[in-house]
Amino acid sequence: MKTISKNIIYLYMVLFSLTLYGCKKEEQGRPLSYNKGVYEGIPDSSLDENSVIILKQRTSGQSWY
């Protein structure tokens, strides 16, 4: 009986250590629930005028119909 309880304690210790291993540092502090349709990230930077012109030229060649 004593060895069975010792084995159970070791099993609980292993399971507990595995659950702690699952809590990675990079996953801490991230949102767990999201608001539908709302972007909550950092805002994008705006493009300069030259980049906008280049993108317009690239997309104009794609619309052939």
Side-chain angles (χ1 to χ4, degrees):
M1 184 70 173
K2 197 167 195 164
T3 59
I4 293 174
S5 63
K6 214 181 235 189
N7 289 340
I8 290 175
I9 289 174
Y10 288 138
L11 178 67
Y12 281 138
M13 289 174 65
V14 168
L15 290 175
F16 183 70
S17 65
L18 287 175
T19 57
L20 286 180
Y21 180 73
C23 301
K24 296 179 182 175
K25 186 168 179 118
E26 62 267 9
E27 293 181 358
Q28 298 297 318
R30 66 184 176 119
L32 298 177
S33 60
Y34 299 96
N35 296 327
K36 186 175 182 179
V38 177
Y39 179 70
E40 296 175 347
I42 57 172
D44 292 334
S45 60
S46 60
L47 297 173
D48 60 350
E49 189 66 32
N50 190 27
S51 298
V52 173
I53 291 172
I54 292 172
L55 287 172
K56 284 183 180 179
Q57 289 173 352
R58 286 180 63 189
T59 57
S60 68
Q62 293 175 359
S63 60
W64 54 271
Y65 53 93

